[in-house]
Amino acid sequence: MRSLGQILVDRGLISLEELHAAEAEQRASGRRLGRVLVDQKSVTEKDLVAALATQIGMTFVDLEDAEVDARATTLLSEKAMRRYGVLPIGFEDGRLVVAMSDPANVVAVDDVRTMTKMEVKAVVATKDDLSAAIGKYASMSEDIEAIAEGLAGDQGDGDLADLEAVTEDAPIVKFVNVLITQAVADGASDIHIEPGERELRVRYRIDGVLHEVMKSPRSIQNGVISRLKIMADVDIAERRIPQDGRIGLTVHGKQIDLRFSTLPTVYGEKVVMRILDKTSVMLSLDDLGFLDHNLKRFEEAYRKPYGMILVTGPTGSGKSTTLYATLNVVNQEGVNIITTEDPVEYRLPGISQVQVNNKVGLSFASALRSILRQDPDIVLVGEMRDRETAQIGVEAALTGHLVLSTLHTNDAPSAVTRLTEMGIEPFLVGSAVDCVLAQRLARRVCSRCVEMVRPEAELLKAAGFDDDIVDERPEVPQARGCSACSKTGYRGRLAIHEVMTVTEEIERLAVARASGEEITRTAVEQGMRELREDGLAKVLLGRTTIEEIGRVVI
């Protein structure tokens, strides 16, 4: 085992001269070498503890900078944390990671293991940092009990002044803040707060899948929801009708917008908050996972000065993100870009954005008419919801404007028939629409725990791989699960694309009111790669799994 002094010298924290001087002082005073170095201000307390951890083969954590999982901190009470001098900070390979200042305290480790019913991995932190962190991250259980007692029996309308006072209480504020900051840290896209008969359930949507993270006493329901309503600047006294609002705040140094929505249910108001990370709006198309073939086809469309580009897919398939990334590319100083959206999710610099407001008669159609009088070069319409909006968009595309919009269809060829069904003349659809991009979001396999396997030929064939791939039986990713991905095997998402260019042949099919199957057949003959084909190509590239493609692509 290396000596403490040697470790400090090797790390460049002290010189040999300082070490020799400290050792002389140690012999003279009988004090520990580390304490002598700290008193002489040769090293800091953190440097010393980190070196001691290295000496005994343990990991040191700086709790001021470490990411602490709030779910781990709820496993012990504050009283137990202070008694044992420990703080649960996360999970790793099925074990609870616990920071402690005295790693030799095996009794504390055993008691934590018994209380949490989990195996424990101890890491080392300084005593001062640990004490401060326990105060900061102490279990919310006591706070929740305090809230529950304060709101016991208050399940009716209550007194508005009392409810407003409760929402300013520290436990309520802390509870709401932890919900939001942990959701952002976990990479959640939505927070669901759902009242039940006996409890309040909290779930996060991570990579498109809902995960339950907390159940709390139902008696805190009104206080929590009212606190969120105040933050969203909506009426806290109104519980009978749905309400929408927006919350803006900074989390971990990032500007975050929360799109807030309430829905009255039999047990109270359900709240869903969509998390909008403003930094993600600056994505480029390269960040969206386009393969070269599809990116080239899509680029040919948005580089044209006119025509209509449609992005299709179900809700939550990343259509808006793709459109914003496209606008980032075409947003030049000499171009006038105007959008009409419902709602405006992200603010884009250099672009005029219009918020639809049906209450005052500002619909997509009326906004689009006004936009066309503003001399635009490029127009983005949030969604083609009705015939009137689609008609104006088509006419704009035919009169020299580049029009970007979204449509709810299952694949790219169906967009042509969908516009026809909305009442647009087929010859106008064929002439105006230049490109249709269909997409889905699939979970990206976790890079830390992914395992490459060679599946049976039958599985590859059933998935839809070509015969030559089936015969070759290449290795493909398989999700396993680790602490980094919360045991799911997936971390992050990527898009699966299908790009259809509207050629003369497809235009003629549109005029003839051909079926979606006929249009698909022609588009594939002309080079379109269907969603499943693009997804399977990304499986072969090691980005996702066969099972995930089967989940998101019919």
Side-chain angles (χ1 to χ4, degrees), residues 111-128:
D111 286 355
V112 170
R113 183 185 296 116
T114 301
M115 286 186 288
T116 61
K117 296 181 174 59
M118 293 186 71
E119 287 300 314
V120 172
K121 176 187 177 182
V123 295
V124 184
T126 68
K127 191 172 182 178
D128 289 344

Side-chain angles (χ1 to χ4, degrees), residues 234-356:
V234 300
D235 186 356
I236 69 168
E238 181 56 74
R239 301 176 183 173
R240 301 163 299 174
I241 60 173
Q243 297 190 80
D244 297 305
R246 183 182 290 272
I247 301 172
L249 66 167
T250 302
V251 178
H252 301 314
K254 294 195 295 186
Q255 290 293 318
I256 300 293
D257 270 354
L258 299 175
R259 206 167 74 198
F260 174 90
S261 172
T262 68
L263 182 70
T265 71
V266 291
Y267 294 120
E269 290 176 286
K270 172 182 169 73
V271 171
V272 175
M273 293 181 286
R274 168 67 57 86
I275 300 173
L276 304 172
D277 182 355
K278 292 183 178 180
T279 59
S280 67
V281 74
M282 300 314 291
L283 290 173
S284 69
L285 289 171
D286 292 333
D287 298 324
L288 301 183
F290 275 94
L291 296 183
D292 290 342
H293 174 80
N294 282 335
L295 182 59
K296 183 179 179 181
R297 289 166 66 89
F298 186 57
E299 187 174 0
E300 288 174 356
Y302 69 72
R303 291 297 183 190
K304 293 181 180 178
Y306 58 86
M308 179 179 285
I309 298 175
L310 295 174
V311 181
T312 75
T315 300
S317 60
K319 299 187 297 295
S320 296
T321 301
T322 298
L323 287 177
Y324 283 137
T326 306
L327 288 184
N328 285 334
V329 177
V330 298
N331 186 12
Q332 307 294 330
E333 186 176 341
V335 177
N336 180 21
I337 303 176
I338 308 179
T339 76
T340 175
E341 306 167 62
D342 184 22
V344 175
E345 293 186 352
Y346 299 100
R347 271 67 169 182
L348 299 170
I351 294 176
S352 303
Q353 295 173 271
V354 179
Q355 168 73 57
V356 167

Side-chain angles (χ1 to χ4, degrees), residues 127-140:
K127 191 172 182 178
D128 289 344
D129 279 0
L130 192 62
S131 178
I134 289 174
K136 179 179 179 182
Y137 296 110
S139 168
M140 287 189 296

Side-chain angles (χ1 to χ4, degrees), residues 158-167 236:
D159 182 78
L160 184 58
D162 291 343
L163 194 55
E164 286 179 334
V166 167
T167 61
I236 69 168

Side-chain angles (χ1 to χ4, degrees), residues 383-399:
E383 183 182 344
M384 293 292 179
R385 288 183 182 173
D386 51 56
R387 180 188 179 281
E388 187 178 10
T389 306
Q391 184 71 43
I392 300 170
V394 164
E395 291 172 358
L398 292 171
T399 54

